[in-house]
Amino acid sequence: MTDDTTPTGAAGAAGAAGATASRPPLLKRLVRSRVARAVTVAGLVGVLLGAGTVAWRTDTFPLLSPDPCWDTFDDALVERVFGDRVTVAEAQRLQTDPNSRAAFYGQCRITSYKDEAKERAVGQLTVQVRRPAGYDGQDMWPAQFLGADMVPLGQGLPGMVSPVRAWLALPESCTGRPGILSAPAVVDLAMGDLADSGLVPERDRKDRAALAEAVVTVTNGVLRKLGCSGTYPAPSPDELPDLVGWQAAEPGAFCGVPGLSAPAAYGESLGRVRVGPDGGAARTCEAGGRYPPGGLRLTTVVDPALARVFSDEAGYGGTRLGRAKGGPEGFGSIDVTRGVYLAQCQTGDVAFVVERVRPVSSKDGKGPNLVRALLPAYVEAEAERIGCGPIRLTLPEVLE
């Protein structure tokens, strides 16, 4: 079995109360603002014409107009995220998920334009409140929000940030305890393409700092809208870990995991890696050849609540894996493009994930299936590294 097949699919309690900076008077904000907003307070995102839509411009001086995204994006934050651009916002009302009393959902979108004619969009930020799923349906949340460039927000905040993505978990005291196989409710922010991260370090630092501030500010606003007490503390952008860059793979410690090696036939195709830092909810490594982005991802989710985002994949993602020998209880599954093992470590559930997100070439096209070759070795070596071992995972002879 080789890797010539195209892939089938590509946390915690609230922190200390934070002081909210007072905003300047409404009239002053309106006079200085270049923001043009269109806010819909009911109905689906994109239904912008009809009842419930309020559109206004700064020269109309409305008496009552909320800031974008449930009254969370004031002018100063809009300017830090978008610069001196004209913006238009669309928001879906935050509401209870009809499928679960313990979940909420909502979406907001802010689009920036080159000039006031709004003929050419130059940027867009999408904010969502939801319980993320793994690779069920079209969600693909891990692929978007658990990349190797994601770093911990710090300040004890249960979330992560990159130059183009950010997320922060809502406290269970507000949203209710999720189901046994459900991930926590989160507020996530997406701006730009994933491939934009890592191109210009100076811009990346600025964008990452802005998203870090934005995700905390919006999350605190969501907590207010949901009637929950407490706020998360403001992040310290200057204290964020260094930007995550590409580097040569280390022999014998592939993806920074001592004792792990990639199959020799893939040495050239997996010669460069981008490894996220420890200390957060998850640590991801992306591996590729001379030109990123990489085709292989190794992810370890150490936050027990967030690890449940992979519950469906571990149980039903492919051929079922039995309990590992000599280690903690666990279960998993594997197919030709993804392997997932969920172990009950001393600190709680930990998810180990190996996935090939795009074809990876091997020498003479004779390399073994990457997922099958790497999953047992990765689980064993990574479990040892994080103090969850020993885990000895045995794969079935034939994948169903």
Side-chain angles (χ1 to χ4, degrees):
M1 186 179 299
T2 67
D3 280 293
D4 297 328
T5 308
T6 301
T8 57
T20 302
S22 60
R23 289 184 290 171
L26 177 62
L27 182 60
K28 183 177 180 181
R29 288 192 290 123
L30 292 173
V31 170
R32 77 180 184 186
S33 174
R34 296 187 61 235
V35 176
R37 304 177 181 129
V39 181
T40 173
V41 296
L44 295 175
V45 172
V47 183
L48 304 180
L49 300 177
T53 300
V54 180
W56 57 276
R57 294 182 57 84
T58 58
D59 55 0
T60 61
F61 297 102
L63 295 178
L64 293 174
S65 292
D67 289 327
C69 299
W70 315 294
D71 204 19
T72 60
F73 263 85
D74 63 17
D75 292 337
L77 183 56
V78 170
E79 185 169 351
R80 279 192 286 278
V81 174
F82 292 97
D84 190 21
R85 297 286 188 186
V86 175
T87 61
V88 172
E90 313 151 34
Q92 176 186 20
R93 177 172 55 89
L94 284 173
Q95 51 197 304
T96 303
D97 188 335
N99 299 315
S100 172
R101 292 182 179 180
F104 299 87
Y105 70 92
Q107 187 178 94
C108 175
R109 184 171 60 200
I110 304 177
T111 306
S112 64
Y113 294 87
K114 187 175 182 179
D115 52 41
E116 299 216 4
K118 298 192 291 294
E119 294 180 351
R120 178 186 173 190
V122 293
Q124 189 172 83
L125 174 74
T126 300
V127 181
Q128 294 197 78
V129 181
R130 54 178 167 173
R131 288 198 188 277
Y135 290 95
D136 182 31
Q138 300 299 315
D139 197 336
M140 305 294 284
W141 194 88
Q144 291 287 319
F145 293 96
L146 294 181
D149 57 346
M150 302 291 290
V151 302
L153 283 166
Q155 304 293 317
L157 294 164
M160 304 184 76
V161 64
S162 79
V164 293
R165 298 290 186 271
W167 64 267
L168 183 56
L170 292 165
E172 291 182 3
S173 59
C174 174
T175 62
R177 188 174 183 84
I180 190 172
L181 298 180
S182 300
V186 303
V187 175
D188 59 54
L189 278 62
M191 186 170 186
D193 192 274
L194 292 175
D196 294 339
S197 178
L199 297 179
V200 184
E202 295 79 9
R203 186 183 66 190
D204 283 350
R205 290 187 184 92
K206 180 180 178 181
D207 291 346
R208 192 177 66 168
L211 282 184
E213 178 184 358
V215 74
V216 175
T217 301
V218 173
T219 301
N220 284 335
V222 169
L223 292 175
R224 289 194 301 271
K225 287 292 184 182
L226 298 180
C228 301
S229 60
T231 58
Y232 283 120
S236 299
D238 293 339
E239 298 178 7
L240 290 174
D242 291 338
L243 294 172
V244 181
W246 290 86
Q247 58 189 353
E250 183 180 350
F254 185 63
C255 284
V257 182
L260 181 65
S261 297
Y266 293 94
E268 185 175 344
S269 296
L270 300 176
R272 294 183 63 77
V273 295
R274 184 166 69 162
V275 185
D278 288 310
R283 175 185 184 269
T284 296
C285 168
E286 296 165 356
R290 185 174 301 175
Y291 302 104
L296 179 72
R297 288 166 55 108
L298 307 181
T299 302
T300 302
V301 183
V302 297
D303 180 87
L306 187 66
R308 294 196 295 266
V309 77
F310 287 106
S311 293
D312 281 346
E313 280 71 34
Y316 310 104
T319 300
R320 188 70 182 266
L321 302 177
R323 179 183 181 276
K325 297 180 180 179
E329 294 284 343
F331 65 98
S333 71
I334 186 172
D335 63 19
V336 295
T337 59
R338 185 181 301 119
V340 179
Y341 191 75
L342 204 60
Q344 298 175 8
C345 299
Q346 299 90 329
T347 56
D349 289 344
V350 174
F352 303 91
V353 186
V354 175
E355 53 187 330
R356 181 173 59 82
V357 296
R358 57 182 57 85
V360 180
S361 60
S362 62
K363 186 176 181 180
D364 299 326
K366 298 180 179 180
N369 175 263
L370 264 178
V371 175
R372 187 178 178 89
L374 276 173
L375 182 64
Y378 179 63
V379 171
E380 179 176 343
E382 180 71 339
E384 183 71 22
R385 188 184 72 86
I386 65 174
C388 179
I391 300 179
R392 305 290 185 262
L393 193 62
T394 302
L395 301 185
E397 290 296 326
V398 179
L399 299 183
E400 296 176 358

